[in-house]
Amino acid sequence: MTHEQLSRLLEQTEWSDEDIVRVLALTDPEDCALLQQAAYRRTTALMGNNVYYRGLIELSNVCTYDCRYCGIRKGNHALKRYTMTLDEVVEQAVWAAEQGYGSVCLQAGERDDPKFVDFVTRCLRAIHEATVSDTLPNGVGITLSLGDQTPEVYEQWAQASGNRMALRYLSRFETSNPALFEMLHTGGGKQQKTLEKRFECFNSLRQSGYQVGTGVMIGIPGQTLEDLCKDIRLFQQLDVDMIGMGPYLMSQGGDLQEIGQMEPEPLLQLSLNMIAVVRLVMGPVNIAAATALQAIRDDGRELGIMYGANVVMPNLSPQSYRTGYQLYDNKPCVNDGPMQFASELERRIAAIGRDIGWNKPGSSLRWCQRVGVEE
Ligand code: 5AD
């Protein structure tokens, strides 16, 4: 393909599977630069110049599942488990609100017992109460990343959040390839998760008014470019509002060392290509520049933004807990304080021509269009 042909292809809004796979496969630096520029331009044209922060609070690493790729899976007995106190969680959220982040994301290992459900409910109420102010009249926006729950639990949390206009849920389906999904989720000899269950959860989340986000891991050994293309088709079919995707990285605490991982450089490029293609194919959804990008290269997240991402999730968890939340090896910022990270990140984001959407909810434009609201 000549550069002219590629440039023309990148302007299209309806994509064939063949074109998606072709663009995912790009490795030539000049071709990749064309892709990067096209995705960045499309992002700006659709949604302007803002990048939104979600302050990430990893409130517990206790997990009841055994996903084989994940460093905090239940079967990793070497890991010391923690759960933050309600006060610690609220303190982090208030800090984020005071910094102007506009929203926070609560993430944890998966639990669905009543004690945990109730703890999250109390955190949500307290965060809302503590963050309503003149600058944030509806309190801080809330994103939850807490796994499969019942429709009743999703609804209970939605009510407790006090702010349904900036209420979001992240739940990656990891891969649309059924055999690969099964392999990844068959820990301790039995299959623990199904794609169908995840999709049911998306429906319940929609019913309760959440902006729904999903995503996949990129470059899992055995995953093909055609698989990634199918992942994108599924994003379209589910008509999701937000996407979070990052490279698959080996984890010492996981149970999959034998499959290895891709070489860092091609893995990073594939991940960036995937972000760019999703932007070009899906239009005005929110796309996060995943932390895992930064595990490969120091400026990985900025590269994600250059390839079309518009959300970053700075980690707010107190330093003492960070080593306990390593989903994969070489997780960055394990030794950074949130202040240090934030000021450095702001400078880096400005350097690539984006502004931070301070004190804004930063809702998915796709969601705003679907429900007919303006931000
Ligand atoms: N490499 C990359 N991403 C991972 N996650 C978990 N373990 C890994 C890993 N080894 C991602 C999964 C999960 C999210 C919380 O973290 O996609 O949905």
Side-chain angles (χ1 to χ4, degrees):
M1 205 175 7
T2 65
H3 286 154
E4 286 74 53
Q5 284 168 328
L6 176 60
S7 295
R8 226 170 308 132
L9 191 156
L10 294 172
E11 292 309 314
Q12 62 190 353
T13 46
E14 300 289 328
W15 286 63
S16 68
D17 289 356
E18 265 171 13
D19 284 344
I20 289 178
V21 168
R22 225 197 256 176
V23 173
L24 287 174
L26 294 179
T27 53
D28 173 75
E30 284 182 35
D31 288 345
C32 293
L34 286 175
L35 173 62
Q36 180 272 310
Q37 288 152 17
Y40 186 92
R41 271 200 312 270
R42 182 78 64 87
T43 309
T44 318
L46 289 164
M47 303 181 301
N49 225 21
N50 275 348
V51 164
Y52 299 100
Y53 277 175
R54 319 283 185 224
L56 180 62
I57 304 172
E58 295 158 336
L59 60 89
S60 171
N61 68 353
V62 176
C63 192
T64 55
Y65 285 94
D66 245 323
C67 308
R68 297 185 65 194
Y69 45 86
C70 184
I72 68 166
R73 75 199 163 90
K74 179 184 174 189
N76 179 9
H77 299 295
L79 191 65
K80 198 166 158 250
R81 303 288 166 166
Y82 72 84
T83 300
M84 287 185 196
T85 65
L86 185 128
D87 287 347
E88 284 172 324
V89 174
V90 175
E91 192 188 322
Q92 299 303 312
V94 167
W95 185 85
E98 284 170 357
Q99 297 298 308
Y101 281 19
S103 70
V104 293
C105 175
L106 305 189
Q107 189 177 83
E110 282 194 58
R111 277 175 65 181
D112 61 4
D113 55 284
K115 191 172 165 212
F116 179 73
V117 168
D118 177 63
F119 174 65
V120 173
T121 304
R122 285 185 290 118
C123 286
L124 290 169
R125 281 203 199 106
I127 289 173
H128 181 65
E129 229 166 79
T131 59
V132 171
S133 69
D134 289 344
T135 6
L136 294 174
N138 298 313
V140 82
I142 300 271
T143 305
L144 299 176
S145 177
L146 301 169
D148 296 347
Q149 305 288 346
T150 63
E152 292 73 29
V153 169
Y154 289 142
E155 179 56 28
Q156 182 178 324
W157 287 346
Q159 283 178 17
S161 80
N163 182 5
R164 290 208 202 218
M165 294 312 285
L167 176 64
R168 314 179 177 111
Y169 208 98
L170 300 175
S171 184
R172 295 184 179 178
F173 61 76
E174 316 298 357
T175 174
S176 60
N177 176 326
L180 193 55
F181 183 94
E182 189 181 323
M183 185 281 283
L184 294 173
H185 295 98
T186 302
K190 66 171 202 292
Q191 189 176 352
Q192 309 200 335
K193 282 187 184 284
T194 64
L195 279 166
E196 292 68 33
K197 171 79 185 137
R198 219 47 2 157
F199 300 151
E200 261 173 49
C201 288
F202 294 164
N203 277 332
S204 315
L205 287 163
R206 273 270 154 73
Q207 299 270 321
S208 284
Y210 290 83
Q211 299 170 40
V212 175
T214 192
V216 295
M217 292 187 291
I218 302 161
I220 309 164
Q223 184 189 46
T224 63
L225 297 182
E226 286 72 21
D227 287 333
L228 290 172
C229 175
K230 285 189 189 136
D231 294 343
I232 297 176
R233 293 301 185 211
L234 199 45
F235 297 158
Q236 287 183 295
Q237 212 180 312
L238 295 163
D239 192 13
V240 289
D241 307 304
M242 319 179 291
I243 314 267
M245 303 173 293
Y248 168 76
L249 298 163
M250 199 200 282
S251 165
Q252 289 311 319
D255 168 37
L256 270 183
Q257 287 85 351
E258 77 264 20
I259 69 168
Q261 75 171 53
M262 278 178 70
E263 288 301 316
E265 226 172 280
L267 177 57
L268 180 63
Q269 192 58 55
L270 178 60
S271 304
L272 296 170
N273 291 359
M274 184 73 178
I275 290 176
V277 174
V278 167
R279 170 62 70 216
L280 295 174
V281 173
M282 300 275 299
V285 291
N286 276 351
I287 302 180
T291 314
L293 290 168
Q294 200 183 336
I296 307 184
R297 225 174 94 165
D298 184 48
D299 60 349
R301 283 201 260 200
E302 292 88 280
L303 287 170
I305 295 169
M306 289 180 67
Y307 276 77
N310 67 325
V311 167
V312 183
M313 297 165 63
N315 189 337
L316 305 183
S317 306
Q319 239 155 311
S320 55
Y321 294 131
R322 290 196 187 195
T323 47
Y325 209 88
Q326 299 203 59
L327 307 183
Y328 41 79
D329 298 345
N330 301 319
K331 191 172 170 198
C333 313
V334 168
N335 299 314
D336 282 10
M339 282 303 279
Q340 190 182 343
F341 177 74
S343 57
E344 171 71 7
L345 188 66
E346 188 180 350
R347 194 186 56 71
R348 290 178 178 200
I349 288 174
I352 55 173
R354 292 291 193 220
D355 306 316
I356 293 160
W358 297 116
N359 293 308
K360 296 220 171 85
S363 286
S364 156
L365 179 58
R366 176 74 198 104
W367 178 83
C368 292
Q369 290 170 347
R370 180 180 320 100
V371 302
V373 296
E374 263 182 57
E375 228 178 62

